[in-house]
Each structure stands twice: as structure tokens, then as C-alpha cells.
Amino acid sequence: MENTEKKVMFSGIQPSGDLHLGNYLGAIRNWVALSDEYTCYYCIVDEHSITVRQNPAELRKRSTVQLAQYIACGLDPQKNTLFIQSHVHEHAELGWILNCYTMFGELSRMTQFKDKSAKNAENINGGLFTYPALMAADILLYNAHYVPVGADQKQHVELARDVAVRFNNIYGDTFVVPEPYIPKVGARIMSLSNPSSKMSKSDPAGCVFLMDSPDEISRKFKRAVTDSDTEHCVRYAPDEKPGVANLMGIYSSVTGKTFEEIETEFDGKGYGVFKPAVGDAVIEKLRPIREEAERMINDKEYLKGIYTEGAQRAEYVARKTLRKVTKRIGFVEKPF
Ligand code: ATP
Ligand code: LTN
């Protein structure tokens, strides 16, 4: 009874590297906060990650490690459907169908495609280009109303909306039209070593990983780039002092303090006090997550049980949506 009335959330992260503070503050934290209010599906999107070449053994390992980290972040597997994308073949099938309703011009405007193709000039494959159609399939299969992501994914969710509307206009109401759900603070955490680019696993020096030791976190924050002015005061001015604004965003996101409260707290104290304080707050936030994930990572049977049940629950819903879609577009009903 209650489940049918709840709105639906769907999101996913690629198992293409270790989870980091940007993933946590931009996305996962909201997933946890919304678990009670919504019916939630959180996926490990392994099919997306092969748009960039992966080492097979590492991809396999990271997919289950990521599941352990989802749970360690606070996602209760009883309340949330946690699963691996490739275990539910409907994603790939609807992905193909939606490719045929997604325009070349739309895909050409995706900034993630432009960024990733610039970084992987030797492997600009078709999957990297058509990736947003698969992401639309992920979301639309579950009739998701909201997609909790960081700001960098807004463009992809908007494309999923456009595809849903286009399909509904041709065939009648089929898909729920989803909306991005982006946090006010923490939507775009920047690299600690280069505050003009987003924190990303491909820049380990500026990236704080969930599994980093307290010493590593501390070192990364002490080295964080602030600014080159002589003022040395903790003041929120994103254009003039992007490094400081980024650290303030992280501190605010982790402690719940406002920017004014942070300015007052560090008034007259300088960066030598501020940077380690941000590091300490992050260490304390991540400590229980790291410890819980470390404990769970070796419990392979437990994790297998979670992703098996998750895929079964997900497939039940995905199958129904795919059937509806194939019927609408005119495929002959499968007789077995
Ligand atoms: P890559 O380093 O390959 O760009 P990524 O670290 O961005 O990957 P994704 O799997 O692409 O990881 O992103 C997972 C989720 O984390 C998405 O919702 C994304 O918006 C969010 N996210 C990623 N990086 C950040 C960041 N720096 N700040 C806030 N949110 C982020
Ligand atoms: N495109 C996202 C990952 C992703 C996703 C999704 C996010 C794939 N499918 C569905 C939300 C909903 C990324 O690169 N971070």
C-alpha cells in the first residue's frame, strides 16, 4: 500500500574508480536522506563504465566494493533496491530503443561527451556518444520522478526528460517525466589541487576518496590550493577565491554550518587553521563509512545476496516498463 503511493528515485554511479567526496556530497548523501520518503533504486552502472576501457578484474572487484560503500554510506538494502545494471538486461534493451528517439544534435551538445572524448582521444567509441540514451533508459525503466545527482549530470537528466516527453507525445503517456534533484551545497565539489576543475577520480591529488586514511585526507587538505592574495581570510567569494569557496562548501556540507557561521568561526585565523579544520571535519564524517565498508568488503556472500535480491526486485519493474514500450512501438509480443 505505502509503496504504491511513494514517488520514485533512481540514480547510479559508474564503478570506474573509487568513490570520492564529490560523489558522496553531490549524490549519495541525498540518496540516504531520501530513503524513507521515496521508493529508491540505486544502481552500479557497469554498462556505462565500459564507454572508457576498463581492466576486467578491477571492474569486477570495484562493482562489489562500490555496493559495500553504498551500504556503508547509510543505504539500507531493505529500504532501497541496490543492484548492478548489467544484471537487469532491460537497461540495454530500452537503451537501444531510446537511441532511436534521441537526436544526434542533442548528443553532440553533451559536455561530458566533449570532456571525455578530449581525455580519451584514442577511444572515442559509439557508446561514449550515445551514453545518455542508456542513462535515460536507466531512469525511465523505473518511472523515476527524481534523479539525485551532482550538478554535472543535470544536462543528462534534462535529455532524459526530453526523450520521455518525445516518446509520450508520439505514443501516449508511457514514461514518467523525471527531474534532477541537486543539492544546494555540495552539487559541484572542486578539485583540492585545481579549484577550476571538478573533483574527479582521474585527478588523485585533488580528490579525497572515501577509503582514504585519515593521514591521507589530512595531507590533501593541508596542501589544498586556496588563493594567491595576501588577505588570507576565510571569506566566501567564489569568483575571487574559488579554492577557499570550495573548502567552505565542503565544510558547510559536512558540518551543516552556513557560510556566515564559517566566516565568523575562522575570523582572523587564516588558512593555516582553516584547512586542517576542514580536513578534520571530513575525516570524522568519512571514518564510520570507511570502517563499515572495510568490514563488509570481504563478506562476499552477504554482498552477493544483496545484489541478487536487488536485481530481482529491479527486474520485476523494468520488465513491465519494457513490455509496455515494445507493445507501443509495434514489436510482436514475445510468445514465451
Ligand atoms: P569521472 O571522474 O569519470 O568524471 P565521477 O567521479 O564524476 O567520474 P560519476 O560516476 O560520473 O563519477 O558520478 C557519480 C555521481 O557523483 C553523479 O551524480 C555526479 O553528478 C556526482 N559527482 C561526481 N563528481 C562530483 C563532484 N565533484 N561534485 C559533486 N558531485 C559529483
Ligand atoms: N551518467 C552518470 C551515471 C549514471 C546515472 C544514471 C546517474 C548512469 N545512469 C542514471 C543517474 C541516473 C555519471 O556519469 N555520473
Side-chain angles (χ1 to χ4, degrees):
M1 169 76 185
E2 48 164 359
N3 271 2
T4 54
E5 285 167 11
K6 282 185 180 174
K7 290 207 165 167
V8 177
M9 287 271 173
F10 182 96
S11 198
I13 299 185
Q14 305 187 44
S16 52
D18 291 331
L19 292 183
H20 56 75
L21 191 63
N23 301 141
Y24 179 68
L25 297 179
I28 302 172
R29 221 167 52 138
N30 259 342
W31 304 1
V32 177
L34 300 162
S35 287
D36 285 326
E37 252 176 276
Y38 296 88
T39 299
C40 299
Y41 297 86
Y42 295 121
C43 188
I44 290 152
V45 286
D46 54 350
E47 289 171 337
H48 284 270
S49 67
I50 61 162
T51 54
V52 172
R53 204 68 75 226
Q54 302 291 332
N55 171 304
E58 279 174 22
L59 176 61
R60 191 170 297 118
K61 179 154 188 272
R62 273 200 308 263
S63 300
T64 49
V65 167
Q66 192 165 307
L67 175 64
Q69 291 175 331
Y70 280 4
I71 300 168
C73 284
L75 288 175
D76 178 347
Q78 303 309 319
K79 286 192 203 155
N80 301 274
T81 299
L82 308 178
F83 69 105
I84 298 173
Q85 183 186 31
S86 61
H87 291 177
V88 181
H89 60 79
E90 284 80 359
H91 288 249
E93 291 179 46
L94 185 63
W96 168 253
I97 294 172
L98 295 185
N99 255 311
C100 304
Y101 297 83
T102 309
M103 299 301 133
F104 182 87
E106 289 174 321
L107 293 169
S108 311
R109 286 193 289 276
M110 295 296 116
T111 54
Q112 182 166 305
F113 171 69
K114 291 183 207 165
D115 291 348
K116 291 209 173 174
S117 49
K119 280 191 203 147
N120 297 285
E122 74 302 336
N123 183 23
I124 307 178
N125 59 71
L128 191 64
F129 186 65
T130 60
Y131 164 117
L134 179 59
M135 176 160 161
D138 299 339
I139 298 167
L140 302 183
L141 273 175
Y142 299 94
N143 305 308
H145 298 84
Y146 297 108
V147 184
V149 283
D152 61 299
Q153 293 302 314
K154 186 167 181 252
Q155 198 184 26
H156 287 159
V157 181
E158 281 167 355
L159 181 54
R161 279 178 73 80
D162 293 344
V163 171
V165 169
R166 180 172 300 138
F167 195 98
N168 288 349
N169 284 341
I170 304 172
Y171 300 103
D173 254 4
T174 309
F175 295 125
V176 170
V177 180
E179 276 178 45
Y181 192 105
I182 296 171
K184 287 202 180 70
V185 186
R188 193 171 168 80
I189 303 293
M190 309 309 277
S191 159
L192 298 188
S193 54
N194 175 11
S196 61
S197 64
K198 84 167 185 149
M199 183 177 282
S200 147
K201 51 209 160 214
S202 47
D203 162 30
C207 182
V208 175
F209 294 101
L210 297 192
M211 301 308 271
D212 275 350
S213 69
D215 282 353
E216 278 167 299
I217 300 178
S218 181
R219 195 164 25 85
K220 286 177 181 172
F221 276 97
K222 282 187 187 142
R223 287 201 194 140
V225 170
T226 41
D227 56 54
S228 50
D229 70 10
T230 50
E231 187 190 47
H232 273 240
C233 91
V234 177
R235 180 167 62 81
Y236 190 70
D239 295 336
E240 280 165 61
K241 294 149 82 86
V244 176
N246 186 40
L247 292 173
M248 288 178 78
I250 293 173
Y251 193 63
S252 167
S253 206
V254 167
T255 61
K257 293 178 185 169
T258 64
F259 291 143
E260 292 87 66
E261 285 167 342
I262 298 170
E263 285 173 353
T264 311
E265 181 177 350
F266 294 98
D267 189 24
K269 295 206 175 122
Y271 302 150
V273 176
F274 176 55
K275 291 201 283 184
V278 183
D280 287 346
V282 170
I283 288 170
E284 288 321 312
K285 190 83 196 172
L286 297 187
R287 187 190 302 281
I289 296 176
R290 191 190 73 246
E291 289 175 354
E292 180 65 4
E294 274 168 357
R295 197 189 56 70
M296 232 182 310
I297 279 166
N298 296 320
D299 198 345
K300 300 215 165 47
E301 280 310 303
Y302 170 72
L303 294 172
K304 189 174 176 188
I306 303 293
Y307 67 68
T308 305
E309 203 188 314
Q312 285 164 346
R313 287 210 297 254
E315 184 154 44
Y316 177 78
V317 179
R319 194 188 303 133
K320 281 211 277 196
T321 309
L322 186 66
R323 271 223 188 108
K324 187 155 121 188
V325 169
T326 51
K327 198 168 173 190
R328 299 229 157 151
I329 55 183
F331 290 177
V332 174
E333 199 177 341
K334 196 172 162 185
F336 53 90

